Amino acid sequence: MIFGRLIGWVLLAVAILIASGEAVLALGTGSYEGLATREVWTLLAGSPTISHSTGGMASRMVSDLLEWPAWTVIGAVGLGLAVLCRPPRRRRIGFRERSFG
């Protein structure tokens, strides 16, 4: 639980850094090409594409997801991990006053 939440916060921080770097590059002079998720996947996995045994709707969804900006996908995964790995809330059923006497 703690490990997943820590990884989630780290991914959120990385997504913020990537987004701010892309904002600075977009405001600069010259042409700007954003960092796509496909490029990050290629750097991490070593292969340019994900191979699918079936070429259905899931394959098209993954292909579309890989074209999104990298900071959106990394941020969404980080937010998901940070929320899903939270410790469970302790619920109070009722409060009874104890008397010592």
Side-chain angles (χ1 to χ4, degrees), residues 7-8 10 14 22 27 31 39 42 45 55 73 85 88 96:
I7 294 295
V10 168
V14 167
E22 286 194 11
L27 293 174
S31 65
E39 297 164 357
T42 302
V73 176
C85 294
R96 283 191 268 172

Side-chain angles (χ1 to χ4, degrees), residues 42 49 52 71 93 95:
T42 302
T49 58
H52 293 286
W71 64 269
I93 296 171
F95 180 77

Side-chain angles (χ1 to χ4, degrees), residues 5-92:
R5 193 164 190 202
L6 179 68
I7 294 295
W9 282 109
V10 168
L11 286 176
L12 277 173
V14 167
I16 290 171
L17 285 174
I18 292 173
S20 63
E22 286 194 11
V24 168
L25 288 175
L27 293 174
T29 59
S31 65
Y32 167 69
E33 292 286 329
L35 181 65
T37 308
R38 182 177 308 276
E39 297 164 357
V40 175
W41 179 260
T42 302
L43 288 173
L44 293 176
S47 64
T49 58
I50 299 174
S51 61
H52 293 286
S53 59
T54 61
M57 188 172 77
S59 176
R60 283 182 292 179
M61 285 175 43
V62 169
S63 178
D64 289 342
L65 186 70
L66 289 175
E67 295 301 322
W68 285 12
W71 64 269
T72 58
V73 176
I74 292 172
V77 170
L79 183 65
L81 278 173
V83 169
L84 289 175
C85 294
R86 285 187 311 195
R89 281 189 161 183
R90 296 183 182 171
R91 295 182 183 168
R92 261 191 204 177

